[in-house]
Amino acid sequence: MEYILIFIAAIFVNNIVLSQFLGICPFLGVSQKVNTSLGMSAAVAFVMLLATLVTWLVQTFVLTPFGLGYLQTLSFILVIAALVQMVEIILKKVSPPLYQALGVFLPLITTNCAVLGVAISVIQKDYSLLMSLDYAIASAIGFGLALVLFAGLREQQEFAAIPKGVKGVSITLITASLLSLAFMGFSGVDGGLKQLFGIE
């Protein structure tokens, strides 16, 4: 049951983008089209899952036993950068159109604080490996959900009569804030589920 609670909380209650405000750069930059958003979500999900797995192993079997905890952020960034390079090479071979569509935003996954944030969060929360992977998958789904919903809203704006004063960046930020407000409606869901199932 704890795994289900972590999963639901990471997607809706503590959404990585809309509640924790991590990964805002790709959220605003790659959300013009739903297709591009889906591709970016898949790439981030793949990197997030692998990065969480590898960084958890690095922390547990290298940094903590040898007292090198102060190298956590640096080593995690190096792991994430290497994984992004791998994803970039694979996408270039497997799906050149998606690689072209993502353009400059694919290398930005290297500095995407959502990936690093999840990797550090699982260590801070002292999750086991399975809980860490559960949290990473749920965070990736939450990131993808927010990105695709936002892209859909931005596509609909092309057909809306938006006043000149708020066109462009202004309406984009207003839309993002309203989407974040909508996700706030889920706050307390995890607490209610814990009470329902008697979990401390």
Side-chain angles (χ1 to χ4, degrees):
M1 186 52 68
E2 197 173 348
Y3 291 96
I4 295 168
L5 289 175
I6 290 169
F7 195 80
I8 291 170
I11 295 173
F12 299 108
V13 182
N14 300 317
N15 186 282
I16 197 87
V17 180
L18 300 172
S19 294
Q20 299 181 45
F21 306 111
L22 297 172
I24 296 293
C25 180
F27 178 69
L28 294 174
V30 194
S31 58
Q32 281 102 1
K33 299 288 176 196
V34 172
N35 289 342
T36 311
S37 298
L38 285 168
M40 184 65 169
S41 300
V44 167
F46 181 70
V47 171
M48 198 177 279
L49 185 62
L50 275 180
T52 303
L53 172 65
V54 175
T55 54
W56 189 91
L57 292 171
V58 166
Q59 180 72 37
T60 305
F61 296 109
V62 179
L63 299 180
T64 303
F66 293 104
L68 300 171
Y70 58 91
L71 292 174
Q72 183 189 66
T73 306
L74 180 64
S75 58
F76 284 15
I77 288 170
L78 289 173
V79 166
I80 292 164
L83 289 171
V84 170
Q85 289 299 315
M86 188 177 76
V87 169
E88 198 170 352
I89 291 165
I90 291 168
L91 271 183
K92 200 171 185 179
K93 297 263 186 197
V94 174
S95 179
L98 181 59
Y99 176 78
Q100 291 294 328
L102 291 174
V104 72
F105 295 105
L106 192 59
L108 285 178
I109 298 176
T110 307
T111 55
N112 185 347
C113 51
V115 178
L116 182 61
V118 168
I120 291 174
S121 286
V122 297
I123 302 302
Q124 288 176 342
K125 293 177 182 184
D126 200 28
Y127 283 163
S128 66
L129 181 58
L130 285 177
M131 281 182 175
S132 299
L133 295 177
D134 181 41
Y135 182 75
I137 291 166
S139 295
I141 291 170
F143 178 84
L145 179 66
L147 196 62
V148 171
L149 285 174
F150 190 54
L153 291 170
R154 287 183 75 179
E155 280 187 0
Q156 291 301 311
Q157 286 173 3
E158 294 174 17
F159 308 107
I162 299 168
K164 281 186 180 179
V166 292
K167 277 190 175 179
V169 176
S170 301
I171 194 67
T172 301
L173 294 176
I174 290 167
T175 306
S177 63
L178 290 173
L179 187 60
S180 180
L181 200 60
F183 268 71
M184 280 182 67
F186 293 109
S187 62
V189 169
D190 59 336
L193 287 172
K194 281 180 183 176
Q195 280 185 342
L196 183 67
F197 294 105
I199 298 170
E200 291 298 322

